[in-house]
Amino acid sequence: MGRKILLEHINVPGINSYDVYRSKGGYASVEKAIKTMKPEDITEEVKKSGLRGRGGAGFPTGMKWSFLAKPEGKPRYLVCNADESEPGTFKDRYLMEHIPHILIEGMITSSYALGVNTAYIYIRGEYFYLVRILEKAIAEAYANGWLGKNILGSDFNLDLYVHPGAGAYICGEETALLESLEGKRGNPRIKPPFPAVAGLYGCPTVVNNVETIATVGPIVNMGGDEYAKIGVGRSTGTKLISASGHIKKPGVYEIEMGVTVEDFIYSDEYCGGILNDKKLKAVVAGGSSVPILPAHLILNTANGEKRLMTYESLSDGGFATGTMLGSGGFIVMDESTNIVKNLFTFTRFYRHESCGQCSPCREGTAWMEKILAKILGGKGEEKDVDLLWDVQRRIEGNTICPLGDAAAWPVASAIRHFRNEFEDFVRNPANQQDIKYYFHCNNIDSAAAYSSI
Amino acid sequence: MSEIKFSTEAESLIQNILKRYPNDRKKSVLIPALHIAQAEFDGWLSVPVMDKVAEMLELKPIEVYEVASFYTMFNLNPVGKCVIEVCRTSSCWLRGANDIVAYIEKKLNIKNGETTKDGKFTLRTVECLGSCGTAPMLQIGEKFHENLTFEKVDEILNTHQNLEKHCTYLDATTFRKN
Ligand SMILES: Cc1cc2nc3c(=O)[nH]c(=O)nc-3n(C[C@H](O)[C@H](O)[C@H](O)COP(=O)(O)O)c2cc1C
Ligand code: SF4
Ligand code: FES
């Protein structure tokens, strides 16, 4: 059994309540921090732990914290990114639903470290039932003196609030999130300035993912060095993986970084193998944005080494033969899956979620969706596959925020590894008997509508 | 044009949430306020309702419209008492979301995006709701219905047949009184 840090007490009845959470050692990191540590000591421990942002980019958290500007007379903010909208990702939801206090504890300890007196949890609007859960947990934390004025008799004050979004994937991008929190459309800002200098209300701000912040408590408790012993190389600690698709046991798993992908998919401790014992075809390992890999490349690297669930191993081979750990949204597809149809769901998603500020993203995602619909509808030509490749290439790297890249990568990787499936649609449109049904269920009027692209 | 009036409950809820932001940053309450307004006025945001929100928060109407039109959870047209939102993104698609959509369409005799004539149900498809491990799934108001089967869908449709009020994402008890 792998070591559990965040989910250690997940099976304890009532762990979602304050009393049980506290009886299992909850809020110890706040006590330790406020009573025995200076704020900068905590940042130091987080640096030592090697913790990397769990929201997708994997940026070292301690380093991010040390960039936070500290001008006199300006408040600083900590904002927790609970927007969790990357398709295939549902770990933050799991954590907030079942152990809400671990996030609140992390927010308090992190705020102390950063000199923050007002912190927000920005949560996607679709998770309103979690707003209810978090609000109750926050009320418990206030009632027990962990929030509010003079926490534990110190001169540290902290107010913590939940703020709901209203349905927009782009608000997971940190600057769009800040715009949204300010009551505006979720249009990403041009960086620099980075939030560490000018974030919420123009003040220095740290934005961190739910899982990242939840991990700060355990790091303070056990010490950064101890945490860094878990895992492999620069992939320290544990990671929550959201596993979905054609597997026997979908769900959220906490893995020690370094588990092999094969073990993760096939062992009973995790996914339990492919649904109905079919063959594995492909995996999207880190949420919809990361490149899809065929079975042979997700199980082993191009050099024939076993692929591990770490930042480095998953990206081994670059985009030619590798992928990314991303948000840990692990989507498994069996042999019956049509890669082009799956891709269509992603491309439509990005077209729908593009904020529309940059032409390559706004126009490119819509164009890609149309080309795909044309191909799916049996009206495609071979040159359309090349056109699709060309469009994605022109989006990547040419936009304000990384959503453009996120839209391009799934397209590029699907063509790279499964070009034959695109061509099959072009050559044998009559083979695709169920396409009418697929189109109907997906609100596509008819292939004809797209045949002139 | 009828005068738009929020219930005192809704108004005090907005006032209460307003305290969470700095005094000179009232606009931050806009999204929560629009959610409350939508719940208060039959599940959608008419222009007079949005104008009222603008007045309450001392914003220009355009500042409210541009936000309301950006976010998918805000309805700018009337909807049924029960809005059924079926996720259609990859993980749900892999586990049969299309069949769920087609089944509901048949049962309700409407197409995706439409509202039944009696105004009871609206059906629409949405993007990933963070429930991929329990796919296929749908959301009604704040509630997630997961691991769907046709039997479960039947049951859901039955229990939402004769609603008195619109299903909403939030109510007066969602937020803590701070
Ligand atoms: C389009 C887009 C969507 C994103 N969505 C999320 C999200 O839902 N949750 C999240 O934590 N980070 C998301 N991110 C990453 C954030 O911008 C940011 O890097 C992250 O919140 C930083 O936290 P971390 O360092 O703890 O990972 C997204 C980024 C992009 C470009
Ligand atoms: S890349 Fe897309 S989502 Fe990001 S700012 Fe540009 S248009 Fe908006
Ligand atoms: S794909 Fe449907 S909830 Fe994520």
Side-chain angles (χ1 to χ4, degrees):
Chain A
M1 283 286 280
R3 181 154 173 199
K4 306 276 181 274
I5 304 276
L6 296 171
L7 303 185
E8 189 185 353
H9 301 299
I10 188 73
N11 292 321
V12 176
I15 195 69
N16 59 345
S17 72
Y18 172 78
D19 290 338
V20 176
Y21 181 76
R22 177 73 177 139
S23 74
K24 289 287 164 190
Y27 290 95
S29 78
V30 179
E31 276 181 311
K32 181 171 177 183
I34 294 182
K35 291 190 175 156
T36 71
M37 297 169 82
K38 291 201 292 291
E40 52 276 22
D41 301 340
I42 297 166
T43 305
E44 204 45 45
E45 291 305 318
V46 173
K47 274 191 187 161
K48 280 193 213 153
S49 75
L51 175 66
R52 292 163 68 177
R54 303 299 195 220
F59 191 82
T61 306
M63 198 189 297
K64 182 187 246 182
W65 286 13
S66 64
F67 293 154
L68 185 68
K70 299 191 169 134
E72 277 296 311
K74 257 194 187 182
R76 297 188 276 280
Y77 293 102
L78 171 64
V79 178
C80 172
N81 188 341
D83 193 59
E84 189 166 72
S85 312
E86 171 98 350
T89 316
F90 43 98
K91 61 178 180 88
D92 297 338
R93 171 185 167 207
Y94 183 83
L95 206 58
M96 292 185 285
E97 176 166 347
H98 298 288
I99 328 181
H101 284 282
I102 202 170
L103 172 60
I104 296 166
E105 177 175 353
M107 289 296 283
I108 302 168
T109 305
S110 305
S111 295
Y112 176 74
L114 297 166
V116 160
N117 303 114
T118 307
Y120 296 96
I121 299 172
Y122 180 99
I123 188 164
R124 66 181 298 186
E126 293 91 338
Y127 284 176
F128 253 116
Y129 83 98
L130 289 178
V131 173
R132 197 182 283 288
I133 290 173
L134 290 171
E135 289 281 13
K136 178 166 172 279
I138 289 173
E140 289 173 325
Y142 269 103
N144 288 281
W146 302 104
L147 284 168
K149 295 233 177 320
N150 304 111
I151 298 169
L152 297 180
S154 70
D155 56 6
F156 173 54
N157 307 328
L158 178 65
D159 283 311
L160 174 60
Y161 303 114
V162 182
H163 182 101
Y169 165 68
I170 190 57
C171 291
E173 194 282 331
E174 57 187 10
T175 59
L177 183 154
L178 296 173
E179 287 287 298
S180 182
L181 186 44
E182 292 180 6
K184 301 181 217 154
R185 292 165 78 94
N187 289 339
R189 299 173 181 168
I190 293 175
K191 297 191 254 190
F194 289 91
V197 176
L200 184 63
Y201 309 133
C203 300
T205 302
V206 166
V207 181
N208 272 132
N209 174 257
V210 171
E211 185 186 350
T212 312
I213 291 174
T215 307
V216 170
I219 288 173
V220 166
N221 287 335
M222 70 171 80
D225 287 333
E226 202 53 35
Y227 186 84
K229 286 183 192 156
I230 310 167
V232 181
R234 287 181 56 238
S235 294
T236 62
T238 64
K239 173 87 189 83
L240 296 179
I241 305 292
S242 319
S244 69
H246 295 139
I247 44 176
K248 289 188 182 159
K249 299 194 303 166
V252 174
Y253 296 101
E254 181 169 22
I255 57 156
E256 270 188 50
M257 282 221 254
V259 171
T260 65
V261 171
E262 188 174 330
D263 248 13
F264 184 69
I265 297 176
Y266 290 101
S267 83
D268 280 336
E269 195 181 340
Y270 304 113
C271 304
I274 309 300
L275 199 60
N276 303 319
D277 293 315
K278 286 197 180 165
K279 283 219 291 265
L280 172 66
K281 178 168 187 175
V283 171
V284 174
S288 58
S289 317
V290 313
I292 189 170
L293 287 183
H296 69 283
L297 283 177
I298 187 70
L299 296 174
N300 298 296
T301 66
N303 298 329
E305 285 163 21
K306 283 215 178 296
R307 185 93 68 185
L308 310 179
M309 300 285 280
T310 62
Y311 293 98
E312 291 76 20
S313 180
L314 282 169
S315 58
D316 185 284
F319 278 5
T321 59
T323 181
M324 295 195 296
L325 178 61
S327 63
F330 198 90
I331 310 173
V332 179
M333 294 165 214
D334 73 16
E335 54 192 316
S336 71
T337 311
N338 185 292
I339 299 297
V340 187
K341 287 188 195 167
N342 180 69
L343 175 64
F344 182 80
T345 76
F346 286 155
T347 302
R348 179 191 49 207
F349 171 83
Y350 289 108
R351 188 268 302 151
H352 184 257
E353 303 301 335
S354 168
C355 85
Q357 279 191 111
C358 335
S359 346
C361 172
R362 182 189 61 243
E363 304 299 323
T365 50
W367 199 359
M368 294 196 299
E369 185 192 15
K370 286 180 185 166
I371 299 169
L372 278 170
K374 181 181 171 192
I375 292 174
L376 282 171
K379 307 277 182 194
E381 303 160 63
E382 300 237 353
K383 68 176 175 35
D384 288 322
V385 186
D386 297 322
L387 178 62
L388 197 55
W389 179 268
D390 195 47
V391 174
Q392 66 79 20
R393 209 172 49 81
R394 284 163 200 268
I395 299 174
E396 188 189 1
N398 292 321
T399 56
I400 293 175
C401 92
L403 186 139
D405 301 344
W409 295 338
V411 174
S413 55
I415 299 178
R416 187 180 298 121
H417 300 297
F418 297 97
R419 192 176 173 109
N420 60 323
E421 293 200 22
F422 292 80
E423 291 173 349
D424 190 44
F425 272 100
V426 172
R427 288 179 194 149
N428 309 305
N431 288 353
Q432 310 294 342
Q433 288 299 339
D434 59 345
I435 204 69
K436 252 198 152 143
Y437 179 66
Y438 178 86
F439 270 28
H440 172 81
C441 297
N442 283 288
N443 261 3
I444 304 170
D445 292 342
S446 80
Y450 293 122
S451 58
S452 62
I453 289 160
Chain B
M1 194 178 76
S2 67
E3 178 67 11
I4 300 292
K5 195 151 169 38
F6 277 73
S7 64
T8 38
E9 199 179 42
E11 221 164 290
S12 75
L13 190 56
I14 294 174
Q15 289 307 323
N16 201 33
I17 300 175
L18 204 47
K19 290 187 218 144
R20 301 179 170 201
Y21 313 98
N23 280 337
D24 56 342
R25 298 291 179 171
K26 273 194 180 162
K27 191 170 173 175
S28 275
V29 83
L30 179 53
I31 288 175
L34 286 173
H35 277 302
I36 293 165
Q38 182 163 289
E40 182 90 349
F41 298 102
D42 298 334
W44 73 291
L45 297 170
S46 65
V47 171
V49 167
M50 290 190 281
D51 289 348
K52 180 73 187 173
V53 171
E55 186 194 310
M56 285 164 76
L57 304 180
E58 296 167 33
L59 297 170
K60 293 194 213 69
I62 182 68
E63 292 178 275
V64 178
Y65 308 155
E66 66 176 7
V67 165
S69 61
F70 184 85
Y71 296 92
T72 52
M73 289 172 76
F74 295 135
N75 301 316
L76 301 182
N77 290 297
V79 291
K81 283 226 158 81
C82 169
V83 180
I84 304 172
E85 302 181 289
V86 187
C87 171
R88 61 180 183 178
T89 318
S90 169
S91 304
C92 283
W93 170 70
L94 291 169
R95 301 292 291 239
N98 276 2
D99 297 337
I100 299 294
V101 175
Y103 186 75
I104 300 175
E105 286 185 329
K106 205 162 141 225
K107 290 276 294 195
L108 295 179
N109 196 23
I110 50 172
K111 287 212 299 233
N112 181 358
E114 292 178 349
T115 299
T116 53
K117 283 211 182 66
D118 56 14
K120 287 183 179 172
F121 294 98
T122 297
L123 171 66
R124 67 173 167 231
T125 45
V126 294
E127 303 298 347
C128 180
L129 293 177
S131 192
C132 331
T134 40
M137 68 82 65
L138 61 82
Q139 175 167 26
I140 294 175
E142 75 174 76
K143 188 156 171 47
F144 282 20
H145 299 269
E146 302 168 80
N147 293 311
L148 293 175
T149 57
F150 295 145
E151 293 73 41
K152 273 198 191 172
V153 171
D154 286 341
E155 209 182 296
I156 294 165
L157 293 180
N158 275 336
T159 52
H160 291 80
Q161 264 307 329
N162 295 308
L163 301 175
E164 270 177 35
K165 286 182 15 203
H166 281 76
C167 290
T168 56
Y169 295 115
L170 78 168
D171 62 33
T173 64
T174 303
F175 287 96
R176 175 176 67 88
K177 307 262 179 292
N178 43 281

